[in-house]
């Protein structure tokens, strides 16, 4: 499968996804600092919680409605909401106004619209890809996401503090471009079947019907294995910012270190920054290499092996203080990450039924929030047990997630084989 064979919608969405992720990462990492300086830490905590909740609610509503009226309409409505919220945020932080509380309200609206947009956009990718092309698309998407995170973080670091108004004007212009591209160049990929009763009956938004729809998803055991396994695996990565970051800051004093003949000063905080930078650079440089090396291997073997490597290496961060060993563990762990992430993301195309893809995508977004909760709880547990035991606990979480995917892929392989009725199945 080559890039030229991919649906035009996907090419446009990948480009706009890069720009969207770039502007998000120029803003989101700095929100806590911004609001703390403006209104204080306690109120900032409340606002950030409301922003996260707003995104979750938006995702559930957008996912449900997208399966009722199609992807493109929801994407346009959501992007218009993003555009106007960014414009008002720019105005609230302009040379004429300084309105942090109103800014907070528009950030909540912005996150709600972003939450609505994502399930429809992700479902659109699945609509126009097959099992073969989906892995390539998600590999490119993952690569672009890491690249945009790195570039967006640099842009935000330079502009967020002193050029906030100009930054949000620029973001608004990119949002306007995204609206224009979706409106005129993106084609609809999903036309829901009309209700047997009336053509509009199914298009009315009903909270009761939405609750029933998501209740049905909860009963999908295979998909629940996917979600639970993803939460456990992603908890290890989230712990890098939580328990592992706290431990590194406490256990690694300022010291001289040498790597590849380069001498530098490092402490726990800098070590965490170096490890994150290493991970991002390796993802950007090695994504296509890893995809090429393992393209002829069984996807099921690649997925499980990658998760196993990732789990072992990230558990090392919970107890090791050796700078060289930590760098090596991150290198090997990132290889494992690159082995399983594209396959894991592509798997959801086989799990989500065609008439409920946005709904499944909305539910899938909960893996991030679930991992954030579990990794936060590990901070509390880490106060009571030694690092070596925390390392063992992280390893158990990773191995449990890996085992869930081992079972999941085995069952999924059987279902795909049965569905293809003797044809060559997806090599899970």
């Amino acid at each position: 499968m080559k890039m030229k064979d991919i649906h035009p919608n996907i090419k446009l969405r990948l480009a706009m996804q890069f720009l969207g992720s770039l502007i998000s990462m120029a803003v989101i990492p700095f929100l806590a600092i911004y609001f703390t300086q403006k209104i204080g830490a306690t109120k900032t905590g409340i606002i950030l919680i409301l922003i996260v909740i707003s995104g979750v609610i938006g995702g559930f509503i957008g996912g449900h409605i997208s399966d009722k009226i199609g992807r493109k309409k929801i994407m346009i409505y959501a992007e218009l909401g993003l555009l106007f919220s960014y414009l008002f945020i720019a105005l609230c932080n302009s040379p004429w106004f300084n309105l942090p509380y109103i800014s907070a309200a528009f950030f909540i609206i912005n996150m709600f619209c972003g939450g609505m947009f994502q399930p429809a956009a992700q479902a659109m990718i699945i609509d126009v890809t097959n099992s073969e092309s989906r892995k390539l698309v998600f590999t490119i998407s993952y690569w672009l996401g890491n690249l945009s995170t790195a570039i967006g973080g640099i842009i935000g670091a330079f502009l967020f503090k002193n050029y906030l108004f100009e930054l949000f004007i620029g973001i608004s212009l990119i949002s306007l471009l995204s609206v224009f591209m979706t409106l005129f160049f993106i084609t609809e990929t999903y036309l829901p079947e009309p209700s047997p009763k009336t053509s509009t009956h199914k298009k009315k938004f009903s909270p009761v019907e939405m609750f029933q729809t998501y209740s049905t998803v909860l009963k999908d055991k295979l998909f629940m294995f996917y979600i639970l396994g993803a939460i456990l695996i992603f908890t290890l990565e989230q712990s890098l910012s939580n328990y592992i970051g706290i431990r590194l800051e406490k256990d690694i004093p300022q010291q001289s270190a040498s790597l590849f003949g380069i001498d530098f000063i490092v402490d726990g905080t800098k070590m965490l920054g170096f490890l994150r930078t290493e991970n991002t650079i390796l993802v950007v440089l090695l994504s296509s290499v890893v995809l090429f090396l393992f393209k002829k291997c069984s996807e099921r073997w690649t997925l499980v092996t990658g998760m196993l490597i990732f789990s072992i290496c990230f558990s090392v961060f919970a107890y090791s203080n050796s700078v060289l060993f930590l760098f090596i563990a991150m290198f090997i762990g990132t290889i494992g990450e690159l082995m399983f992430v594209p396959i894991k993301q592509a798997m959801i195309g086989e799990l989500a039924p065609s008439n409920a893809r946005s709904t499944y995508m909305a539910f899938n977004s909960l893996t991030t929030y679930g991992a954030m909760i579990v990794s936060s709880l590990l901070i509390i547990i880490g106060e009571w047990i030694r690092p070596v035991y925390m390392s063992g606990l992280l390893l158990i979480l990773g191995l449990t997630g890996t085992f869930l995917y081992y079972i999941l892929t085995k069952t999924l392989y059987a279902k795909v084989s049965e569905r293809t009725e003797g044809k060559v199945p997806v090599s899970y």
Side-chain angles (χ1 to χ4, degrees):
M1 185 70 186
K2 298 181 180 179
M3 189 64 187
K4 66 179 182 179
D5 301 321
I6 293 176
H7 194 282
N9 274 14
I10 303 299
K11 297 177 182 178
L12 289 172
R13 277 306 316 144
L14 288 173
M16 298 315 301
Q17 174 194 310
F18 172 77
L19 292 176
S21 297
L22 188 147
I23 61 179
S24 294
M25 295 312 298
V27 173
I28 291 175
F30 306 97
L31 285 183
I33 298 173
Y34 166 81
F35 282 117
T36 299
Q37 292 175 343
K38 296 283 187 178
I39 61 178
T42 301
K43 294 178 181 178
T44 295
I46 296 172
I47 287 171
L48 292 179
I49 291 172
L50 291 175
I51 288 174
V52 171
I53 292 174
S54 176
V56 174
I57 295 173
F60 276 120
I61 294 176
H64 176 71
I65 297 177
S66 174
D67 284 330
K68 302 301 176 185
I69 68 173
R71 321 298 188 206
K72 183 174 178 177
K73 289 181 181 178
I74 286 295
M75 291 170 66
I76 292 173
Y77 295 150
E79 286 183 313
L80 285 172
L82 289 170
L83 169 61
F84 286 113
S85 61
Y86 279 131
L87 284 172
F88 279 109
I89 291 170
L91 185 62
C92 290
N93 296 275
S94 67
W96 311 284
F97 299 102
N98 181 21
L99 305 169
Y101 288 101
I102 298 179
S103 293
F106 280 110
F107 270 117
I108 292 172
I109 294 171
N110 181 277
M111 187 61 75
F112 177 84
C113 295
M116 287 189 67
F117 178 84
Q118 287 302 323
Q122 292 172 359
M124 177 174 281
I125 292 177
I126 296 175
D127 288 338
V128 295
T129 54
N130 54 31
S131 299
E132 179 188 0
S133 62
R134 203 168 288 140
K135 182 181 174 183
L136 173 61
V137 169
F138 279 113
T139 299
I140 297 170
S141 174
Y142 183 62
W143 181 83
L144 289 174
N146 279 270
L147 182 62
S148 62
T149 296
I151 298 175
I154 295 171
I155 293 173
F158 280 98
L159 300 181
F160 198 92
K161 184 176 181 180
N162 298 318
Y163 299 96
L164 196 57
F165 174 67
E166 292 82 358
L167 175 62
F168 279 111
I169 288 297
I171 290 173
S172 299
L173 292 174
I174 293 176
S175 298
L176 178 61
L177 174 63
S178 186
V179 173
F180 178 81
M181 297 298 289
T182 303
L183 188 61
F184 294 104
F185 295 99
I186 294 290
T187 57
E188 182 59 80
T189 60
Y190 175 69
L191 297 174
E193 296 180 5
S195 168
K197 296 179 181 180
T198 67
S199 60
T200 59
H201 175 73
K202 285 287 185 179
K203 295 184 180 182
K204 293 179 181 179
F205 175 72
S206 168
V208 175
E209 183 187 5
M210 184 177 73
F211 177 77
Q212 292 173 341
T213 300
Y214 285 109
S215 296
T216 303
V217 177
L218 281 170
K219 296 175 184 177
D220 186 338
K221 293 182 180 179
L222 210 56
F223 186 65
M224 287 301 102
F225 271 33
Y226 180 91
I227 294 295
L228 181 57
I231 289 174
L232 294 176
I233 292 293
F234 193 53
T235 293
L236 273 67
E237 186 173 350
Q238 283 290 309
S239 293
L240 195 62
S241 299
N242 294 340
Y243 170 79
I244 293 171
I246 295 170
R247 190 200 69 78
L248 290 175
E249 194 278 329
K250 182 173 62 176
D251 292 351
I252 298 183
Q254 183 168 303
Q255 57 186 279
S256 297
S258 179
L259 192 65
F260 302 118
I262 302 174
D263 297 323
F264 55 94
I265 303 296
V266 66
D267 56 23
T269 303
K270 289 180 180 177
M271 190 69 225
L272 178 62
F274 288 147
L275 290 174
R276 284 199 163 279
T277 301
E278 180 189 6
N279 177 260
T280 301
I281 292 174
L282 289 173
V283 168
V284 171
L285 294 180
L286 299 181
S287 291
S288 58
V289 176
V290 173
L291 179 65
F292 174 77
L293 290 176
F294 292 95
K295 67 178 182 179
K296 293 184 179 180
C297 296
S298 162
E299 290 188 354
R300 185 184 182 205
W301 179 90
T302 303
L303 174 84
V304 173
T305 304
M307 285 186 171
L308 183 62
I309 293 171
F310 179 83
S311 300
I312 294 171
C313 290
F314 269 67
S315 67
V316 166
F317 298 138
Y319 76 89
S320 177
N321 294 327
S322 168
V323 173
L324 178 61
F325 193 52
L326 290 172
F327 273 115
I328 294 173
M330 178 56 80
F331 178 85
I332 299 173
T334 303
I335 298 298
E337 181 181 359
L338 291 172
M339 288 171 66
F340 80 79
V341 167
I343 300 173
K344 171 191 164 294
Q345 291 177 326
M347 279 173 59
I348 201 168
E350 301 294 334
L351 293 167
S354 60
N355 64 336
R357 281 173 178 159
S358 287
T359 301
Y360 274 65
M361 292 301 106
F363 215 103
N364 183 48
S365 67
L366 290 181
T367 57
T368 301
Y369 303 112
M372 290 170 64
I373 293 171
V374 177
S375 62
S376 297
L377 292 174
L378 291 178
I379 296 176
I380 301 173
I381 297 173
E383 291 293 313
W384 297 92
I385 65 176
R386 294 169 56 188
V388 65
Y389 297 126
M390 277 298 296
S391 176
L393 178 57
L394 287 175
L395 182 59
I396 289 172
L397 294 178
L399 293 179
T400 303
T402 302
F403 180 69
L404 288 174
Y405 273 86
Y406 173 81
I407 297 173
L408 168 63
T409 51
K410 184 177 181 179
T411 308
L412 188 60
Y413 176 86
K415 284 193 172 185
V416 172
S417 298
E418 182 180 344
R419 189 164 62 243
T420 53
E421 296 180 344
K423 298 178 183 178
V424 178
V426 180
S427 56
Y428 288 115

